[in-house]
Amino acid sequence: RVWEIIPYKGMIICPYQASETMDSDKEIVCGADIHKDFLIATMISRSGLKLQERFNMNQDGLLAFRSWIINHRCQRLAVESTGGFWYPIFTILEGHVEFILANAYQIRNIEHKKTDKLDSERIAIYCLNNLITPSRIYPKDYRDLRSITRARETLVNARSKIKNQIHQSLSACCIKLSSVISDSFGKSGRYIIDRLLEGKTIDQIISGIPSKRIRKKEDELREAIKNGLDPVQVFLIKANLDVIDDISKKIKILEAEIAEKVKPFEDDLKIILSVPGVGFISAATIIAEMGDYRDFPSADKMAKYFGIVPSVYQSAGKLRTGKITKTGSKHMRRILVEVAKAISRTKKNSRLMRFFQRILARCGKKNIATVALARKVLCIIYHLLMNHENYQEPEVTKTKPKIPSSVSPIRMMDIDEMIKIISQAGYLVEKDLKEGCG
């Protein structure tokens, strides 16, 4: 069979190949190179049409871009997935044109010459020849939940960074509190830090520690705390503790909002929570990052999508496997590894624990066994969701997880709820039902 090849600005268009996979009314396509303040759009067709325009990335510019797309009867628009710049374009064009979100790695420019106009034209040519594998665009419910879970993760990371700064300040004064207490910011750890900031002696500190288990480590505490804090370190630690308290309050607000946003996925949440090592935040994050699990034909495809499978190298008949590919959501991989670590630390002799020990005995590396267990957990979750079943294992009886209150902190209360709360506080409330009375 002979293909008709037409050169187009250094690219190649195969009309017959494309006509077999697309309808004739979809021969006009557009490619857009998106930036923070503007976009360059190129519209092409097989009949020789080529239009190129520049639009601003504001409300008026995007409305003009939509009118330009509709007036020229463009059926498909391809854009590069660059950060969150494509969100307003998708919102304003949803329902008007077929939107194709392209992975930047798949449509990267391999030529040396690179301009915004050439990039826009190249994306349009890829779209015209069906050379772009569309990326998944999550429904709005999943996008909203994912935004909140990622915001919480950002705050948790920021809080951890500030905690490390406090550890460094304590170490600068030769105070090794973390070597005695596993959680220096728990109830007992925070008590010790606060008393150190007040200038209390070691005897006064030990006598007031709320935990008996920590008080039994008197000798170790005396060895770790032999010095006081200088005024500069006291100032820095107090400032950092105030920031930690503020961040913790915001994290609680986000957790309440997560409980509200995860309501539409309550059945899936209960199924995921039945898996050992999975808590409420972990389950909500998995739901948000996974999206609609029915998009994946198999569990292996899902594991590959999230980059938790080993990379494969084959040459001259020799097959080698390397590290995991790390494609897809890094947030999903992080939460799965946390779940795997929680399972590996448990003392229960479960199947997942035995799987971890078997991989660890074979390879001798804890990190590899943890990643392998994380992949297995993801595959188990996929099968449980597809079959609408809870995780069951005779050897393991998981306690019912505590789900935070789904009441949003900004929800308005009606008058009856207000009266009930005031009455429970011990006040007498008289409700005047006369018309015109407040």
Side-chain angles (χ1 to χ4, degrees):
R1 186 174 183 181
V2 180
W3 298 92
E4 181 182 354
I5 307 298
I6 301 176
Y8 193 98
K9 293 287 186 182
M11 305 296 291
I12 293 179
I13 299 179
C14 306
Y16 296 120
Q17 182 182 9
S19 62
E20 290 181 350
T21 57
M22 65 190 299
D23 300 332
S24 60
D25 61 342
K26 291 187 178 181
E27 291 186 352
I28 301 177
V29 300
C30 180
D33 186 44
I34 309 174
H35 301 277
K36 180 180 180 180
D37 299 322
F38 68 93
L39 66 89
I40 302 294
T42 302
M43 192 179 298
I44 63 174
S45 70
R46 300 191 180 279
S47 60
L49 169 69
K50 178 185 174 183
L51 299 174
Q52 199 166 65
E53 293 287 344
R54 174 187 170 122
F55 300 92
N56 294 325
M57 285 288 289
N58 52 26
Q59 186 72 15
D60 295 335
L62 293 179
L63 289 175
F65 179 52
R66 184 179 68 179
S67 300
W68 186 70
I69 290 287
I70 295 174
N71 292 339
H72 289 88
R73 298 181 180 180
C74 177
Q75 276 77 35
R76 290 193 294 171
L77 169 65
V79 301
E80 187 179 2
S81 176
T82 52
F85 297 154
W86 62 272
Y87 282 127
I89 300 176
F90 172 75
T91 302
I92 206 165
L93 287 174
E94 188 176 10
H96 297 279
V97 64
E98 181 183 347
F99 190 87
I100 299 176
L101 185 63
N103 190 321
Y105 181 78
Q106 295 181 354
I107 62 172
R108 67 190 186 281
N109 185 16
I110 60 176
E111 299 178 357
H112 295 290
K113 189 175 181 181
K114 184 181 184 302
T115 64
D116 294 338
K117 293 183 178 180
L118 289 179
D119 286 345
S120 173
E121 185 176 334
R122 174 173 49 84
I123 295 173
I125 294 172
Y126 285 161
C127 180
L128 188 63
N129 287 276
N130 292 333
L131 298 177
I132 300 177
T133 303
S135 299
R136 294 176 69 209
I137 299 179
Y138 288 44
K140 190 175 186 308
D141 291 343
Y142 289 102
R143 294 203 307 268
D144 292 343
L145 179 60
R146 185 176 60 178
S147 298
I148 300 175
T149 55
R150 290 184 178 183
R152 180 191 176 277
E153 179 184 343
T154 301
L155 290 181
V156 170
N157 293 337
R159 185 176 62 180
S160 300
K161 186 176 180 180
I162 298 175
K163 287 181 179 179
N164 291 334
Q165 293 177 0
I166 294 179
H167 283 302
Q168 292 175 1
S169 298
L170 293 174
S171 298
C173 297
C174 296
I175 298 176
K176 306 295 183 181
L177 185 61
S178 58
S179 61
V180 181
I181 302 177
S182 58
D183 185 9
S184 300
F185 298 91
K187 187 175 181 180
S188 298
R190 185 63 184 266
Y191 173 84
I192 295 174
I193 294 176
D194 291 338
R195 300 294 84 77
L196 286 173
L197 295 175
E198 295 174 0
K200 301 293 185 180
T201 62
I202 185 63
D203 294 330
Q204 293 173 335
I205 293 175
I206 293 177
S207 62
I209 294 176
S211 174
K212 294 181 180 180
R213 182 177 58 85
I214 302 299
R215 285 202 301 268
K216 291 180 180 179
K217 299 181 179 180
E218 179 179 351
D219 296 337
E220 298 179 15
L221 287 173
R222 292 183 181 275
E223 185 68 24
I225 307 174
K226 287 186 175 182
N227 197 9
L229 296 171
D230 59 70
V232 175
Q233 299 300 337
V234 169
F235 173 78
L236 294 176
I237 292 175
K238 284 184 177 179
N240 287 331
L241 287 175
D242 291 339
V243 175
I244 288 176
D245 293 338
D246 292 339
I247 293 177
S248 298
K249 292 178 182 177
K250 292 180 173 61
I251 289 175
K252 290 182 179 180
I253 294 174
L254 287 178
E255 289 177 350
E257 190 65 22
I258 289 173
E260 185 70 23
K261 293 294 183 182
V262 83
K263 268 186 173 182
F265 317 106
E266 188 175 356
D267 295 338
D268 295 342
L269 180 69
K270 291 179 180 179
I271 292 174
I272 298 176
L273 283 173
S274 65
V275 179
V278 179
F280 171 74
I281 297 298
S282 302
T285 303
I286 290 173
I287 291 174
E289 298 295 335
M290 181 187 301
D292 191 355
Y293 53 88
R294 289 176 287 268
D295 293 342
F296 301 96
S298 65
D300 292 336
K301 293 291 184 181
M302 177 181 286
K304 182 180 178 181
Y305 178 82
F306 290 109
I308 203 165
V309 296
S311 54
V312 177
Y313 304 92
Q314 186 174 17
S315 180
K318 295 182 179 179
L319 180 65
R320 299 182 181 90
T321 57
K323 298 180 180 179
I324 58 174
T325 59
K326 292 186 178 181
T327 58
S329 172
K330 63 180 180 180
H331 308 278
M332 176 66 109
R333 291 193 299 274
R334 180 193 65 83
I335 205 67
L336 289 173
V337 169
E338 286 187 5
V339 171
K341 288 181 179 179
I343 296 174
S344 64
R345 290 193 296 263
T346 185
K347 297 181 180 179
K348 297 178 180 179
N349 188 23
S350 63
R351 295 178 183 176
L352 294 176
M353 184 62 181
R354 291 196 294 268
F355 172 83
F356 173 80
Q357 293 174 345
R358 186 167 64 251
I359 299 297
L360 181 61
R362 187 173 65 188
C363 66
K365 295 182 179 180
K366 192 173 182 179
N367 292 339
I368 296 178
T370 302
V371 173
L373 179 58
R375 181 189 181 278
K376 187 174 184 64
V377 169
L378 180 62
C379 294
I380 289 174
I381 290 175
Y382 174 81
H383 288 294
L384 293 176
L385 292 173
M386 290 296 293
N387 298 322
H388 299 284
E389 297 176 351
N390 290 335
Y391 182 88
Q392 296 180 358
E393 188 173 347
E395 298 89 349
V396 178
T397 56
K398 184 177 179 180
T399 58
K400 187 176 180 181
K402 182 180 179 181
I403 300 178
S405 175
S406 60
V407 179
S408 176
I410 59 174
R411 186 180 68 87
M412 300 298 294
M413 293 187 295
D414 55 22
I415 187 65
D416 293 331
E417 288 180 290
M418 294 179 183
I419 293 175
K420 183 178 179 181
I421 293 175
I422 296 174
S423 301
Q424 290 176 351
Y427 294 93
L428 179 63
V429 181
E430 294 183 1
K431 189 173 180 181
D432 193 350
L433 301 179
K434 295 182 180 180
E435 186 178 357
C437 295

